Amino acid sequence: MDIDENDKKDETPTKKTKAIKPKKMSTPSASSEGASFHPDMPLAQEIHRLTMIHNGKLSVDDATAIIGCKPEELLEKVMSRVGTGGKSLEEAMKENEAKYKPSDEGEKDAEKEKEEKSETDKKDEALLNPSLYRHLQSTLSYSSPNALTEPNLATLESHHETILAHLNDAVTKAKDEAGDMEVLHANMDIARYSARSSSKESALKAYDTVLALPKLSVGKKLDAHLEMARVSSFWNDYKKMKGVLDAAAKVIANGGDWDRRNRLKVYQALSFLLVRDAESASKLLVEGIATFSCSELCTYPEFITYATVTNLLYLKRTELKKSIIDGSEVLQVSKEIPVVIQLANTLYDCDYKAYLHTLVDLQPHLVANRYLQPHVGYLLRELHVLAFQQFLDSYQSVTLESMAKSFGVGTEFLDVQLSRFIAAGRLTAKIDKYGGVVETNRPDWKNARYQDMIQKGDLLLNRIQKLGRVVDL
């Protein structure tokens, strides 16, 4: 029988000894409320923005407008969060040990109340992560009087070894004195602690241990795979993320509830986005607008941003109007992402001058997003082609001057842009430079397909004839 939430109700203890309970069992859950807080994906976004600022790809002014504070303040906040949370090393380690050290029976009620009270603070708790701290110190050239030294980081690593020893003891005791569900919870404690305070390799190894447990239900396997995908994404290992999600897709083919299926689609959509498969991502993203429940992966406004930007490239106007522009879910968060909403509205309204101005405003937002930044050039180019093609579809011929006026640019700039896209086969048009006219060439798709079929048929007949000669010999 597979391990599931209801298994615990039917278990009959075989021993009368007291079961050793950890302070807080990590229950893998399909809902975002029950998902692990770690790795913290909003923190990953902040780290990405600091990296873009450090590398000169995001200006200080744009960054300040987007993040709502100065980059120096964000850097101190991030390093404090990754380190000890502004506390002394001894105090931070003492508090951390108190959370994971096995407790006596008499302390359970007080600790349970304390856990419930601090549940809302877990998202902001210090990570005490020496691996990530070293990485950021090197990547961001961080040097501050408050920075942790190498001996401090070595002390933290020894501290984590002690905590993991406590957690491994809990696994052993759960195997001896409890059931399969308690063993699962104890192993998830180790995996989630490693995801918070250790390296990528340690976290993934701990999740592999969870997946190797016998009698795991499809739901629990999928939850573990999704948390592994988050670990891989946090550390920018997108190849590993794709492999984990491929394994998750095979698992859910054997069953699984709709909530988990919908969450997997969101993970897959962002994975497609990372490898620039925008078309596949757009389909999954627009499907997930009404069923989004992955707040542990990204915020809902961020998700709507991904859905809008990608679907502008592929949805027909009628579908774009229904799903994006007039979508009730999109309208609810429109004030949080005004630039993205304005981009969709100006394109639909054929206000091309405002559309190009919005593209300029959109660029720093794309750079500041860890999922979109690698594809800024591609997305901006495709969005330009989209507007040019939509404009030219309305005319058989149009003067360069008239078109330039509609887009609010100069004729020389427009000539260069159109020439580049026409030469690349992205626009079906030609430019009469002498007359200053752009002429559209609407291909007859029916005849084009017919000619293509005839050409391929001739090639096939030639190959069959050659094969016939070889057989005759």
Side-chain angles (χ1 to χ4, degrees), residues 8-27:
K8 190 176 179 181
K9 298 178 182 178
D10 301 329
E11 286 181 1
T12 303
T14 55
K15 298 182 182 181
K16 293 185 178 181
T17 55
K18 293 180 180 179
I20 303 299
K21 295 183 180 180
K23 288 198 168 190
K24 182 73 174 177
M25 286 187 173
S26 297
T27 306

Side-chain angles (χ1 to χ4, degrees), residues 241-253:
M241 180 184 181
K242 184 180 184 304
V244 170
L245 292 177
D246 288 343
K250 293 178 181 178
V251 170
I252 207 168

Side-chain angles (χ1 to χ4, degrees), residues 403-470:
M403 187 174 178
K405 185 177 180 180
S406 296
F407 280 88
V409 296
T411 55
E412 291 298 324
F413 174 82
L414 183 63
D415 182 35
V416 171
Q417 292 295 309
L418 292 178
S419 299
R420 183 160 61 97
F421 293 135
I422 291 171
R426 302 304 312 281
L427 294 175
T428 55
K430 62 180 180 181
I431 300 175
D432 180 358
K433 185 68 174 177
Y434 179 78
V437 175
V438 181
E439 299 178 359
T440 58
N441 298 323
R442 291 185 179 83
D444 187 338
W445 296 112
K446 185 175 181 180
N447 286 333
R449 287 195 296 269
Y450 176 76
Q451 293 297 330
D452 184 59
M453 182 181 68
I454 294 297
Q455 184 179 12
K456 291 180 178 179
D458 288 339
L459 290 173
L460 179 61
L461 288 174
N462 289 335
R463 290 176 181 176
I464 291 175
Q465 289 175 354
K466 290 180 181 179
L467 180 61
R469 295 192 195 102
V470 172

Side-chain angles (χ1 to χ4, degrees), residues 104-376:
D104 296 329
E105 193 71 24
E107 299 176 357
K108 287 181 181 177
D109 293 337
E111 287 181 3
K112 182 178 180 182
E113 183 180 348
K114 185 179 178 181
E115 285 287 343
E116 291 174 352
K117 185 178 180 181
S118 63
E119 187 72 22
T120 55
D121 299 330
K122 283 192 172 182
K123 290 184 179 180
D124 299 320
E125 68 179 342
L127 302 187
L128 304 174
N129 193 319
S131 298
L132 182 57
Y133 200 93
R134 287 193 185 97
H135 172 72
L136 295 180
Q137 272 188 318
S138 173
T139 303
L140 304 177
S141 302
Y142 178 70
S143 58
S144 167
N146 300 323
L148 297 177
T149 63
E150 185 57 37
N152 293 149
L153 298 177
T155 302
L156 268 180
E157 289 177 334
S158 300
H159 169 73
H160 291 322
E161 291 176 3
T162 303
I163 299 298
L164 288 172
H166 290 319
L167 295 176
N168 278 297
D169 289 342
V171 172
T172 302
K173 290 175 181 178
K175 289 179 180 179
D176 294 338
E177 303 173 6
D180 292 332
M181 183 58 71
E182 284 75 12
V183 174
L184 170 61
H185 290 158
N187 277 284
M188 285 300 296
D189 277 328
I190 295 175
R192 290 178 170 178
Y193 186 84
S194 298
R196 169 200 162 199
S197 301
S198 192
S199 63
K200 176 191 72 175
E201 292 75 18
S202 298
L204 294 177
K205 184 178 179 181
Y207 279 109
D208 283 333
T209 302
V210 171
L211 290 170
L213 292 174
K215 302 179 182 180
L216 270 186
S217 67
V218 170
K220 296 299 174 282
K221 288 180 181 178
L222 184 62
D223 292 338
H225 275 112
L226 293 184
E227 292 192 16
M228 287 182 73
R230 282 172 57 203
V231 171
S232 303
S233 175
F234 184 91
W235 289 94
N236 298 326
D237 189 347
Y238 303 134
K239 183 177 180 181
K240 178 65 177 178
M241 180 184 181
K242 184 180 184 304
V244 170
L245 292 177
D246 288 343
K250 293 178 181 178
V251 170
I252 207 168
N254 298 322
D257 56 77
W258 282 108
D259 186 61
R260 286 185 172 97
R261 288 178 181 273
N262 290 333
R263 292 180 69 227
L264 176 60
K265 286 182 180 180
V266 175
Y267 279 76
Q268 289 174 324
L270 295 190
S271 178
F272 284 134
L273 198 57
L274 287 167
V275 297
R276 201 175 289 183
D277 187 354
E279 186 171 6
S280 298
S282 66
K283 295 175 182 177
L284 294 176
L285 288 166
V286 76
E287 288 177 11
I289 289 177
T291 60
F292 179 81
S293 62
C294 292
S295 57
E296 79 281 2
L297 184 62
C298 64
T299 65
Y300 193 56
E302 287 175 340
F303 180 81
I304 295 299
T305 296
Y306 306 143
T308 302
V309 171
T310 55
N311 279 283
L312 281 177
L313 303 175
Y314 299 103
L315 278 187
K316 295 179 181 179
R317 281 177 61 84
T318 53
E319 286 298 318
L320 183 67
K321 177 74 169 172
K322 177 182 176 182
S323 302
I324 302 295
I325 295 176
D326 290 342
S328 58
E329 296 88 357
V330 177
L331 293 175
Q332 287 177 0
V333 297
S334 59
K335 293 183 179 179
E336 299 181 55
I337 48 173
V339 176
V340 176
I341 298 302
Q342 185 179 356
L343 183 74
N345 287 329
T346 52
L347 179 67
Y348 185 81
D349 295 337
C350 301
D351 187 354
Y352 299 111
K353 183 176 181 179
Y355 178 80
L356 287 191
H357 282 289
T358 306
L359 279 180
V360 175
D361 295 335
L362 179 68
Q363 192 265 349
H365 291 272
L366 298 179
V367 173
N369 189 287
R370 64 193 302 264
Y371 292 102
L372 298 176
Q373 182 274 327
H375 319 299
V376 171

